[in-house]
Structure formats: C-alpha cells, structure tokens
Amino acid sequence: SVPPGWSYEHDTELGRFLYDHSEKQLQHVDCTKEHISSIEVSSQTEDCVAAHLTDNLTYTFWESNGPPGQHWVRLRMKKGAIVKRLWLMLEGQSSSYVPRRVAVYGGTLNRLQHLRTVLINESSYRNVCILRDMKTHMPVLEIRFLECRDQGYNVRLQGIKITSFWEWDLILTADMFQPERLVRYPLLEGVDADVLYRRAVLIQRFVQLLESVLCYLIPLSEDSIGTFNALR
C-alpha cells in the first residue's frame, strides 16, 4: 500500500536519493567479460590479437599493425552497464610500444563524444586508469591511441580491465536511510526507514519490469495522443 501522505514527488525524491547513494555501496570487481559484449580493434598482428585483451594472461598481448596515430580499441558494452573504472594494462618491455597519450570517447557508434584525454606518466609500466565514475550507460567506448613513447609506431597492451555495475542493480538495505543522509532530501526526512526501504524495493522492482518490456513499447507504431495515453 502507498504510505500515508505519500506523493509522486516523494517517489521522485526517493529515486534521486537512490541514484546519489546506492552505487557507492556496490562491491566493484573485474567485470570485463561480464559487461562487454564485444571488442574491436583497428588492426592486429597474426599472433597478438584482440582476444588477448581479456584473457587475463600475463604473457599474451594485443599489438596493433598500422600507421601511427590510427590505432584504437572499441568496446561494445552490454545494455545497462555503467563503467566505474577503465584500466589499460601496459606491456612495458619495449617502451616504443607503450602509449603516451590516449583519448577516450563514448556514446553511440555514430555519435561518439570525447570524454577524456590522458597523458600517461613516463614511469608507468603497469595498470593505468584512463576513465572513472561514469554516471550513465555508454553503448560504445572507444580508446584512441594518439601517441606512443619514443615516437613508436604501434601499440602493445597486455590487456584491459573494467569495474562496472548494472544501472538497475541497486543494493538496498534499511540502513541506507540514516537521518544524516536525508538532510538534502526534505520530503524524506522524518519518514520511517523501513517505509523508505519498502518503497525503494518497489521502485527497483518496477524499473526491472519496465526494462524488460520497454523494447516492445517504444518506439510506438503510431504517433498519436490515443496511443500515448494507452501506454501511460
């Protein structure tokens, strides 16, 4: 049942609270294989292929095979995956193969937007974080290698590593709703923590159900007021 005095505005504020707090409690582990649907590369040598980027082996690597400045790795993310950290695992035996300047782009394939450019420290020969704390799902992440050390022509990586979470995968407990956390959410202040918890579980369940059927509802076959009202 709806809590006494509860309104749509309360749900909106509770949703904002969940967005602001839930992801901070997630246990971030290596999600590379779980959350990436496929990997594409600009080029590769015969023995150093893209599959080595995610095989978790220390003695294999991917190596590009083409003109300088035109090397990239493209990650197609599974629907709903939000990246918290993206690392490059460098292969530092030959410094001319180590990337020096890297740009990260994200979005849909035909509308990639620049997210960050990273200048990799000359002393880095291990894992380097090139992207962190994304707030929304990016269907595609593209890593562009702009420059290598020592004027190198090709890039060599031992692998990539990602920690991420599903946008609907909230960890909910009644302990989340402590009074000190509700200061910036006036509509939630004074509401019993168990009431907020049960309402949050309901919102989470609704999101999961909506996500499962949304692909069948949108885009609508008819752009009319009647169709929209039926959907609403």
Side-chain angles (χ1 to χ4, degrees):
S1 60
V2 179
W6 195 266
S7 67
Y8 174 76
E9 287 71 24
H10 287 81
D11 278 329
T12 301
E13 194 148 296
L14 180 55
R16 185 165 60 88
F17 174 89
L18 294 174
Y19 178 84
D20 291 341
H21 290 84
S22 295
E23 68 180 60
K24 299 176 184 177
Q25 300 188 18
L26 294 169
Q27 298 296 317
H28 301 303
V29 297
D30 186 0
C31 305
T32 305
K33 292 186 177 181
E34 181 183 358
H35 287 180
I36 294 179
S37 60
S38 66
I39 298 179
E40 302 165 17
V41 294
S42 54
S43 59
Q44 60 189 16
T45 61
E46 184 177 353
D47 299 322
C48 306
V49 297
H52 293 323
L53 289 169
T54 56
D55 62 9
N56 291 322
L57 299 176
T58 58
Y59 55 85
T60 64
F61 47 84
W62 163 72
E63 183 179 317
S64 64
N65 183 23
Q70 298 184 26
H71 310 310
W72 48 262
V73 171
R74 183 180 298 149
L75 311 177
R76 294 184 183 267
M77 306 300 298
K78 292 184 179 179
K79 185 177 181 181
I82 299 179
V83 172
K84 297 304 294 180
R85 298 287 189 275
L86 169 59
W87 283 277
L88 298 182
M89 303 168 69
L90 304 180
E91 202 289 317
Q93 297 298 318
S94 301
S95 61
S96 63
Y97 287 91
V98 177
R100 181 178 181 274
R101 193 161 55 95
V102 175
V104 185
Y105 289 75
T108 58
L109 186 58
N110 58 346
R111 293 191 64 183
L112 292 175
Q113 298 180 340
H114 177 260
L115 302 177
R116 193 183 182 201
T117 296
V118 180
L119 185 63
I120 298 176
N121 192 297
E122 293 291 338
S123 62
S124 297
Y125 286 96
R126 294 186 179 275
N127 297 356
V128 175
C129 183
I130 61 171
L131 189 67
R132 64 182 68 230
D133 296 328
M134 301 301 296
K135 296 298 184 183
T136 58
H137 167 66
M138 295 282 180
V140 175
L141 288 173
E142 190 168 285
I143 307 165
R144 300 178 185 178
F145 302 94
L146 307 178
E147 183 182 351
C148 288
R149 295 179 189 172
D150 300 334
Q151 299 180 337
Y153 276 73
N154 283 299
V155 177
R156 184 182 293 169
L157 292 180
Q158 189 181 97
I160 59 171
K161 180 181 177 183
I162 281 181
T163 57
S164 52
F165 66 98
W166 302 116
E167 57 187 353
W168 55 79
D169 190 17
L170 304 177
I171 295 178
L172 300 177
T173 67
D175 293 336
M176 292 177 59
F177 304 101
Q178 299 298 320
E180 60 272 17
R181 287 189 169 189
L182 300 176
V183 172
R184 296 189 295 111
Y185 310 88
L187 292 180
L188 307 183
E189 288 186 293
V191 181
D192 185 80
D194 286 335
V195 172
L196 293 175
Y197 168 70
R198 289 195 295 271
R199 194 68 181 177
V201 170
L202 181 64
I203 290 176
Q204 183 187 45
R205 179 62 178 150
F206 170 76
V207 169
Q208 292 170 339
L209 289 172
L210 181 62
E211 179 70 26
S212 68
V213 300
L214 202 58
C215 59
Y216 302 107
L217 301 177
I218 298 175
L220 301 174
S221 57
E222 298 178 15
D223 187 13
S224 67
I225 297 298
T227 305
F228 176 77
N229 286 337
L231 171 61
R232 185 172 63 180

